[in-house]
Amino acid sequence: MSWYRITFPFADEQALQTAFGLVALAGQREKQHNAVGFAIFDAPEFYEDDPHRSSQVYYFSPVAADLCADLIAPFSPVPCDAPDRNLFNLGLAYGTLQGSESWDLLK
């Protein structure tokens, strides 16, 4: 299983609202299954040479990607490595803070 990333452009306000809704739906799915290893991280991606490309990126752990495959499929998820825990402004969009379990999934 792989991590997946989905990108939502800052320039598209509707896309960002969709992203928040996606995370909320994914969180409901996690609550139904109480899955260990479920986490969604997010971080901004800025392009100084082309601000219209700047976006918010959501990273789905392998467990989250598997449980939410039908939810994320319409957004063309791209396989990727786990995000680096030192990635600029990386945050936990959904997951477990207790014992930093979600953060332990990162490289």
Side-chain angles (χ1 to χ4, degrees):
M1 292 195 305
S2 177
W3 282 78
Y4 283 85
R5 64 181 265 149
I6 299 174
T7 304
F8 293 94
F10 287 135
D12 185 346
E13 186 177 320
Q14 181 62 42
L16 293 175
Q17 290 176 356
T18 299
F20 295 132
L22 175 63
V23 171
L25 286 173
Q28 291 174 1
R29 181 83 44 99
E30 189 278 333
K31 287 179 182 177
Q32 292 171 346
H33 296 275
N34 198 23
V36 174
F38 188 104
I40 304 169
F41 291 89
D42 66 334
E45 197 169 70
F46 297 108
Y47 295 91
E48 290 183 22
D49 61 327
D50 185 1
H52 293 293
R53 287 182 49 213
S54 296
S55 57
Q56 189 72 12
V57 180
Y58 289 84
Y59 298 91
F60 287 72
S61 71
V63 172
D66 186 49
L67 277 177
C68 299
D70 60 320
L71 297 176
I72 66 176
F75 303 102
S76 304
V78 176
C80 64
D81 291 331
D84 187 310
R85 67 178 56 247
N86 296 316
L87 183 65
F88 176 73
N89 279 345
L90 182 68
L92 182 62
Y94 190 91
T96 303
L97 287 174
Q98 293 177 332
S100 70
E101 182 179 304
S102 294
W103 291 96
D104 291 342
L105 299 172
L106 303 177
K107 55 181 182 168

